[in-house]
Amino acid sequence: MNAGLDQQHQSAACAETRVHWLVVAGQLAEEGADEVISVDLAHVQRISSHELSELIRLQLLVRKSGRKLVLENADENLRSIFELTRLTRLIEMR
């Protein structure tokens, strides 16, 4: 039973990490301090459809305020998702 609990905790920690980068990006966008909002995706391995929609919402918020959203360090899998969903047309990737 302990192994099952450990796996649940690891899954929850993974989910928190994925949400964490999005929460931080949202906070940066709402603060409005920087002209360019850079989001480091180096530790993000997966992205859900909800997170994709939140990224679009974030992009609209940033653009509306005259700023720019940039996604950095996305691995090959994430890049292919962004290309398939055509988010690379809306959000710059480095």
Side-chain angles (χ1 to χ4, degrees):
M1 286 197 164
N2 287 340
L5 289 176
D6 289 340
Q7 288 175 348
Q8 287 175 347
H9 289 296
Q10 288 173 355
S11 294
C14 241
E16 286 177 21
T17 301
R18 283 188 283 146
V19 172
H20 177 70
W21 65 267
L22 195 53
V23 170
V24 170
Q27 289 171 345
L28 288 172
E30 289 175 4
E31 288 173 4
D34 296 330
E35 197 170 305
V36 176
I37 306 298
S38 294
V39 180
D40 187 356
L41 299 175
H43 299 288
V44 179
Q45 296 176 352
R46 296 180 185 162
I47 190 165
S48 70
S49 59
H50 174 72
E51 290 167 330
L52 287 173
S53 67
E54 286 298 309
L55 262 180
I56 293 168
R57 184 194 64 75
L58 184 61
Q59 167 62 13
L60 294 173
L61 174 71
V62 169
R63 183 182 288 173
K64 187 175 182 179
S65 65
R67 295 174 294 148
K68 184 177 188 177
L69 179 65
V70 176
L71 303 178
E72 297 181 345
N73 302 316
D75 70 10
E76 191 175 317
N77 292 329
L78 282 180
R79 283 187 177 274
S80 64
I81 290 170
F82 291 128
E83 289 171 8
L84 287 171
T85 58
R86 297 185 180 193
L87 283 177
T88 53
R89 292 182 179 189
L90 294 174
I91 304 172
E92 181 180 337
M93 297 194 70
R94 295 184 187 160

